[in-house]
Structures are given as C-alpha cells and as structure tokens.
Short mmCIF file of all heavy atoms in Angstrom, two decimals:
data_model
loop_
_atom_site.label_atom_id
_atom_site.label_comp_id
_atom_site.label_asym_id
_atom_site.label_seq_id
_atom_site.Cartn_x
_atom_site.Cartn_y
_atom_site.Cartn_z
N PHE A 1 89.64 54.89 -46.07
CA PHE A 1 90.70 55.12 -45.02
C PHE A 1 91.98 55.65 -45.75
O PHE A 1 92.54 56.66 -45.09
CB PHE A 1 90.99 53.78 -44.39
CG PHE A 1 92.11 53.84 -43.29
CD1 PHE A 1 91.84 54.42 -42.08
CD2 PHE A 1 93.40 53.43 -43.59
CE1 PHE A 1 92.87 54.55 -41.15
CE2 PHE A 1 94.35 53.45 -42.61
CZ PHE A 1 94.06 53.99 -41.50
N VAL A 2 92.44 55.24 -46.77
CA VAL A 2 93.66 55.78 -47.47
C VAL A 2 93.41 57.18 -47.89
O VAL A 2 94.22 58.04 -47.74
CB VAL A 2 94.08 54.80 -48.58
CG1 VAL A 2 95.12 55.47 -49.45
CG2 VAL A 2 94.52 53.45 -48.08
N ARG A 3 92.08 57.47 -48.43
CA ARG A 3 91.92 58.84 -48.89
C ARG A 3 91.94 59.87 -47.61
O ARG A 3 92.48 60.88 -47.81
CB ARG A 3 90.51 58.81 -49.48
CG ARG A 3 90.12 60.14 -50.17
CD ARG A 3 88.82 59.87 -50.95
NE ARG A 3 88.58 61.18 -51.51
CZ ARG A 3 87.37 61.47 -51.85
NH1 ARG A 3 86.25 60.78 -51.61
NH2 ARG A 3 87.11 62.75 -52.38
N ILE A 4 91.43 59.42 -46.54
CA ILE A 4 91.48 60.26 -45.37
C ILE A 4 92.90 60.48 -44.94
O ILE A 4 93.32 61.63 -44.55
CB ILE A 4 90.60 59.70 -44.24
CG1 ILE A 4 89.15 59.80 -44.53
CG2 ILE A 4 90.90 60.33 -42.83
CD1 ILE A 4 88.27 59.01 -43.58
N MET A 5 93.71 59.32 -44.85
CA MET A 5 95.12 59.49 -44.42
C MET A 5 95.87 60.34 -45.41
O MET A 5 96.73 61.17 -44.98
CB MET A 5 95.79 58.14 -44.31
CG MET A 5 95.21 57.22 -43.36
SD MET A 5 95.29 58.03 -41.65
CE MET A 5 97.00 58.09 -41.41
N ASN A 6 95.64 60.26 -46.73
CA ASN A 6 96.35 61.16 -47.68
C ASN A 6 95.99 62.60 -47.46
O ASN A 6 96.88 63.48 -47.49
CB ASN A 6 95.93 60.73 -49.07
CG ASN A 6 96.71 59.48 -49.54
OD1 ASN A 6 97.70 59.07 -48.96
ND2 ASN A 6 96.12 58.87 -50.53
N ARG A 7 94.79 62.92 -47.16
CA ARG A 7 94.32 64.29 -46.91
C ARG A 7 95.02 64.77 -45.65
O ARG A 7 95.40 65.95 -45.56
CB ARG A 7 92.78 64.38 -46.80
CG ARG A 7 92.12 64.30 -48.18
CD ARG A 7 90.70 64.58 -48.06
NE ARG A 7 90.23 64.48 -49.51
CZ ARG A 7 88.91 64.78 -49.66
NH1 ARG A 7 87.98 65.08 -48.64
NH2 ARG A 7 88.44 64.61 -50.92
N LEU A 8 95.02 63.93 -44.54
CA LEU A 8 95.66 64.36 -43.35
C LEU A 8 97.17 64.60 -43.54
O LEU A 8 97.70 65.59 -42.98
CB LEU A 8 95.44 63.37 -42.26
CG LEU A 8 94.06 63.20 -41.66
CD1 LEU A 8 93.92 62.06 -40.73
CD2 LEU A 8 93.64 64.60 -40.97
N THR A 9 97.79 63.78 -44.38
CA THR A 9 99.19 63.91 -44.67
C THR A 9 99.48 65.31 -45.33
O THR A 9 100.40 65.99 -45.08
CB THR A 9 99.76 62.77 -45.41
OG1 THR A 9 99.53 61.56 -44.81
CG2 THR A 9 101.24 62.84 -45.76
N LYS A 10 98.63 65.54 -46.33
CA LYS A 10 98.81 66.86 -47.05
C LYS A 10 98.65 68.05 -46.13
O LYS A 10 99.46 68.96 -46.15
CB LYS A 10 97.71 66.99 -48.14
CG LYS A 10 98.07 66.26 -49.37
CD LYS A 10 97.00 66.49 -50.46
CE LYS A 10 97.22 65.53 -51.66
NZ LYS A 10 96.12 65.78 -52.60
N TYR A 11 97.60 67.90 -45.13
CA TYR A 11 97.32 68.94 -44.22
C TYR A 11 98.54 69.13 -43.27
O TYR A 11 99.08 70.18 -42.98
CB TYR A 11 96.13 68.69 -43.41
CG TYR A 11 95.87 69.69 -42.41
CD1 TYR A 11 95.25 70.88 -42.74
CD2 TYR A 11 96.00 69.43 -41.05
CE1 TYR A 11 94.95 71.83 -41.86
CE2 TYR A 11 95.63 70.32 -40.01
CZ TYR A 11 95.16 71.60 -40.41
OH TYR A 11 94.92 72.47 -39.54
N VAL A 12 99.17 68.07 -42.83
CA VAL A 12 100.20 68.13 -41.93
C VAL A 12 101.56 68.62 -42.63
O VAL A 12 102.21 69.50 -42.06
CB VAL A 12 100.57 66.69 -41.32
CG1 VAL A 12 101.87 66.66 -40.55
CG2 VAL A 12 99.48 66.29 -40.43
N LYS A 13 101.69 68.20 -43.85
CA LYS A 13 102.89 68.77 -44.57
C LYS A 13 102.79 70.23 -44.87
O LYS A 13 103.71 71.04 -44.80
CB LYS A 13 103.12 68.05 -45.88
CG LYS A 13 103.66 66.60 -45.69
CD LYS A 13 103.85 66.03 -47.09
CE LYS A 13 104.46 64.55 -46.92
NZ LYS A 13 104.47 63.86 -48.25
N LYS A 14 101.55 70.66 -45.21
CA LYS A 14 101.34 72.09 -45.51
C LYS A 14 101.55 72.99 -44.29
O LYS A 14 102.06 74.11 -44.31
CB LYS A 14 99.94 72.34 -45.98
CG LYS A 14 99.65 73.65 -46.53
CD LYS A 14 98.43 73.82 -47.32
CE LYS A 14 97.22 73.61 -46.53
NZ LYS A 14 95.89 73.88 -47.23
N ASP A 15 101.19 72.52 -43.11
CA ASP A 15 101.38 73.35 -41.91
C ASP A 15 102.63 72.99 -41.14
O ASP A 15 102.77 73.57 -40.03
CB ASP A 15 100.20 73.07 -40.93
CG ASP A 15 98.86 73.58 -41.53
OD1 ASP A 15 99.02 74.44 -42.37
OD2 ASP A 15 97.79 73.23 -41.02
N ALA A 16 103.56 72.24 -41.72
CA ALA A 16 104.84 71.88 -40.98
C ALA A 16 105.63 73.14 -40.88
O ALA A 16 105.68 74.09 -41.72
CB ALA A 16 105.55 70.81 -41.87
N VAL A 17 106.36 73.23 -39.79
CA VAL A 17 107.14 74.30 -39.47
C VAL A 17 108.43 74.16 -40.30
O VAL A 17 109.18 73.21 -40.38
CB VAL A 17 107.60 74.40 -37.93
CG1 VAL A 17 108.47 75.48 -37.72
CG2 VAL A 17 106.35 74.42 -37.17
N LYS A 18 108.73 75.24 -41.02
CA LYS A 18 110.03 75.19 -41.83
C LYS A 18 111.18 75.64 -41.00
O LYS A 18 111.02 76.46 -40.11
CB LYS A 18 109.80 76.24 -43.06
CG LYS A 18 108.73 75.74 -44.13
CD LYS A 18 108.74 76.72 -45.19
CE LYS A 18 107.65 76.31 -46.21
NZ LYS A 18 107.63 77.17 -47.34
N ALA A 19 112.33 75.11 -41.45
CA ALA A 19 113.48 75.48 -40.60
C ALA A 19 113.84 76.96 -40.98
O ALA A 19 113.70 77.39 -42.09
CB ALA A 19 114.65 74.59 -41.08
N PRO A 20 114.23 77.65 -39.87
CA PRO A 20 114.46 79.09 -40.19
C PRO A 20 115.71 79.29 -41.06
O PRO A 20 116.70 78.52 -40.94
CB PRO A 20 114.73 79.69 -38.82
CG PRO A 20 115.14 78.48 -37.97
CD PRO A 20 114.33 77.34 -38.47
N GLU A 21 115.60 80.16 -42.04
CA GLU A 21 116.67 80.35 -42.96
C GLU A 21 117.79 81.19 -42.22
O GLU A 21 117.51 81.98 -41.41
CB GLU A 21 116.27 81.17 -44.17
CG GLU A 21 115.27 80.32 -45.06
CD GLU A 21 114.84 81.07 -46.28
OE1 GLU A 21 115.61 82.10 -46.63
OE2 GLU A 21 113.87 80.71 -46.82
N ALA A 22 118.98 80.92 -42.62
CA ALA A 22 120.21 81.70 -42.05
C ALA A 22 119.91 83.06 -42.37
O ALA A 22 119.72 83.47 -43.52
CB ALA A 22 121.48 81.09 -42.58
N PRO A 23 120.27 84.06 -41.43
CA PRO A 23 120.09 85.53 -41.77
C PRO A 23 121.12 85.79 -42.73
O PRO A 23 122.29 85.40 -42.76
CB PRO A 23 120.40 86.07 -40.36
CG PRO A 23 120.93 85.10 -39.46
CD PRO A 23 120.59 83.72 -40.10
N GLU A 24 120.79 86.73 -43.69
CA GLU A 24 121.71 87.13 -44.75
C GLU A 24 121.97 88.65 -44.70
O GLU A 24 121.19 89.35 -44.22
CB GLU A 24 121.16 86.69 -46.04
CG GLU A 24 121.05 85.16 -46.30
CD GLU A 24 120.51 84.80 -47.61
OE1 GLU A 24 119.79 85.62 -48.25
OE2 GLU A 24 120.80 83.63 -48.00
N ARG A 25 123.09 89.01 -45.38
CA ARG A 25 123.34 90.44 -45.64
C ARG A 25 123.70 90.55 -47.08
O ARG A 25 124.22 89.59 -47.73
CB ARG A 25 124.34 90.92 -44.69
CG ARG A 25 125.71 90.20 -44.79
CD ARG A 25 126.70 90.64 -43.83
NE ARG A 25 127.86 89.72 -43.85
CZ ARG A 25 128.86 89.88 -43.21
NH1 ARG A 25 129.00 90.87 -42.39
NH2 ARG A 25 129.89 89.02 -43.28
N LEU A 26 123.81 91.71 -47.61
CA LEU A 26 124.22 91.94 -48.97
C LEU A 26 125.71 92.28 -49.01
O LEU A 26 126.26 93.02 -48.14
CB LEU A 26 123.45 93.11 -49.59
CG LEU A 26 121.89 92.80 -49.79
CD1 LEU A 26 121.35 94.09 -50.38
CD2 LEU A 26 121.73 91.62 -50.66
N CYS A 27 126.39 91.69 -49.98
CA CYS A 27 127.81 92.13 -50.24
C CYS A 27 127.84 93.57 -50.70
O CYS A 27 127.22 93.95 -51.62
CB CYS A 27 128.36 91.13 -51.32
SG CYS A 27 130.06 91.62 -51.77
N PRO A 28 128.68 94.43 -50.10
CA PRO A 28 128.79 95.83 -50.49
C PRO A 28 129.31 95.97 -51.92
O PRO A 28 129.02 96.98 -52.54
CB PRO A 28 129.61 96.47 -49.48
CG PRO A 28 130.36 95.34 -48.82
CD PRO A 28 129.65 94.14 -48.98
N ARG A 29 130.00 95.06 -52.45
CA ARG A 29 130.66 95.30 -53.78
C ARG A 29 129.71 94.68 -54.90
O ARG A 29 129.44 95.43 -55.85
CB ARG A 29 131.94 94.51 -53.79
CG ARG A 29 132.94 95.07 -52.93
CD ARG A 29 134.37 95.07 -53.54
NE ARG A 29 135.25 95.84 -52.73
CZ ARG A 29 136.14 95.47 -51.96
NH1 ARG A 29 136.29 94.09 -51.78
NH2 ARG A 29 136.88 96.26 -51.22
N CYS A 30 129.19 93.44 -54.77
CA CYS A 30 128.35 92.95 -55.82
C CYS A 30 126.82 92.77 -55.52
O CYS A 30 126.14 92.28 -56.29
CB CYS A 30 128.89 91.50 -56.22
SG CYS A 30 128.71 90.25 -55.04
N LEU A 31 126.49 93.10 -54.30
CA LEU A 31 125.10 93.04 -53.84
C LEU A 31 124.43 91.65 -53.75
O LEU A 31 123.22 91.44 -53.89
CB LEU A 31 124.23 93.97 -54.56
CG LEU A 31 124.68 95.45 -54.50
CD1 LEU A 31 123.74 96.36 -55.39
CD2 LEU A 31 124.59 95.94 -53.05
N THR A 32 125.29 90.56 -53.63
CA THR A 32 124.84 89.18 -53.49
C THR A 32 124.48 88.93 -52.08
O THR A 32 125.23 89.44 -51.20
CB THR A 32 125.99 88.27 -54.06
OG1 THR A 32 126.26 88.54 -55.38
CG2 THR A 32 125.52 86.83 -54.00
N ALA A 33 123.44 88.26 -51.88
CA ALA A 33 123.06 87.80 -50.52
C ALA A 33 124.10 86.80 -50.01
O ALA A 33 124.41 85.84 -50.61
CB ALA A 33 121.69 87.18 -50.54
N VAL A 34 124.63 87.09 -48.81
CA VAL A 34 125.60 86.25 -48.12
C VAL A 34 125.18 86.04 -46.66
O VAL A 34 124.61 86.92 -46.01
CB VAL A 34 126.94 87.09 -48.17
CG1 VAL A 34 128.16 86.32 -47.48
CG2 VAL A 34 127.40 87.44 -49.53
N ASN A 35 125.48 84.81 -46.20
CA ASN A 35 125.22 84.50 -44.83
C ASN A 35 125.92 85.45 -43.94
O ASN A 35 127.17 85.77 -44.23
CB ASN A 35 125.66 83.05 -44.54
CG ASN A 35 125.32 82.61 -43.22
OD1 ASN A 35 125.38 83.24 -42.17
ND2 ASN A 35 124.77 81.37 -43.16
N GLU A 36 125.35 85.85 -42.81
CA GLU A 36 125.98 86.91 -42.04
C GLU A 36 127.20 86.42 -41.28
O GLU A 36 128.00 87.22 -40.90
CB GLU A 36 124.95 87.55 -41.03
CG GLU A 36 124.64 86.64 -39.86
CD GLU A 36 123.71 87.37 -38.87
OE1 GLU A 36 123.04 88.34 -39.27
OE2 GLU A 36 123.69 86.98 -37.67
N LYS A 37 127.35 85.17 -41.22
CA LYS A 37 128.56 84.54 -40.52
C LYS A 37 129.76 84.46 -41.51
O LYS A 37 130.91 84.15 -41.07
CB LYS A 37 128.25 83.16 -39.88
CG LYS A 37 127.34 83.30 -38.66
CD LYS A 37 127.02 82.01 -38.14
CE LYS A 37 126.09 82.07 -36.93
NZ LYS A 37 125.79 80.74 -36.37
N ALA A 38 129.46 84.55 -42.76
CA ALA A 38 130.50 84.41 -43.80
C ALA A 38 131.53 85.56 -43.66
O ALA A 38 131.18 86.72 -43.38
CB ALA A 38 129.91 84.33 -45.22
N THR A 39 132.76 85.24 -44.07
CA THR A 39 133.90 86.26 -44.07
C THR A 39 134.27 86.64 -45.45
O THR A 39 134.92 87.59 -45.68
CB THR A 39 135.10 85.70 -43.29
OG1 THR A 39 135.58 84.47 -43.90
CG2 THR A 39 134.82 85.51 -41.85
N ARG A 40 133.77 85.89 -46.48
CA ARG A 40 134.06 86.22 -47.88
C ARG A 40 132.80 86.08 -48.70
O ARG A 40 131.81 85.17 -48.37
CB ARG A 40 135.06 85.26 -48.46
CG ARG A 40 136.49 85.64 -48.06
CD ARG A 40 137.40 84.72 -49.04
NE ARG A 40 138.77 84.99 -48.68
CZ ARG A 40 139.52 85.84 -49.30
NH1 ARG A 40 139.11 86.45 -50.40
NH2 ARG A 40 140.81 86.05 -48.91
N CYS A 41 132.56 86.80 -49.73
CA CYS A 41 131.45 86.77 -50.68
C CYS A 41 131.74 85.49 -51.58
O CYS A 41 132.74 85.47 -52.18
CB CYS A 41 131.24 88.00 -51.37
SG CYS A 41 130.05 87.98 -52.65
N PRO A 42 130.76 84.56 -51.73
CA PRO A 42 130.94 83.47 -52.57
C PRO A 42 130.94 83.93 -54.14
O PRO A 42 131.46 83.22 -54.96
CB PRO A 42 129.72 82.54 -52.31
CG PRO A 42 128.76 83.44 -51.68
CD PRO A 42 129.45 84.52 -51.08
N ALA A 43 130.37 85.09 -54.40
CA ALA A 43 130.25 85.55 -55.85
C ALA A 43 131.58 86.21 -56.24
O ALA A 43 132.12 85.93 -57.22
CB ALA A 43 129.03 86.35 -56.05
N CYS A 44 131.89 87.31 -55.48
CA CYS A 44 133.15 88.02 -55.93
C CYS A 44 134.30 87.90 -55.07
O CYS A 44 135.34 88.50 -55.26
CB CYS A 44 132.70 89.54 -55.87
SG CYS A 44 132.41 90.26 -54.24
#
C-alpha cells in the first residue's frame, strides 16, 4: 500500500501544474532579464 501511494505521489508531483513565471524583458544596457513590470534594472 505504501509503495503504491509513493508511486502515485511521484506521478502527481511530476504532472503538477507549475505557476506561470512572470514575463521578463532584457535590460537594454546590461542585457539582464528583468520583470516587465519593473521600472529599474536590479543589476545596473
């Protein structure tokens, strides 16, 4: 029973829907990926 439950848990975790990542854009000066809602580049 535990073996079956562990396999089902692995299957469910593998197919879990991931949270969508925030859309990003590149900083024109340093080319670092920046969230599109940001007003400043965190790198430069």
Side-chain angles (χ1 to χ4, degrees):
F1 179 73
V2 169
R3 189 172 180 207
I4 290 170
M5 292 306 294
N6 286 340
R7 286 188 180 181
L8 287 175
T9 304
K10 283 182 185 177
Y11 178 74
V12 169
K13 284 183 182 177
K14 187 166 68 172
D15 291 343
V17 178
K18 293 182 180 179
E21 294 182 20
E24 295 181 341
R25 61 182 172 178
L26 293 179
C27 172
R29 295 217 167 104
C30 68
L31 301 177
T32 302
V34 180
N35 187 314
E36 77 174 21
K37 293 182 180 179
T39 57
R40 284 189 179 263
C41 174
C44 69

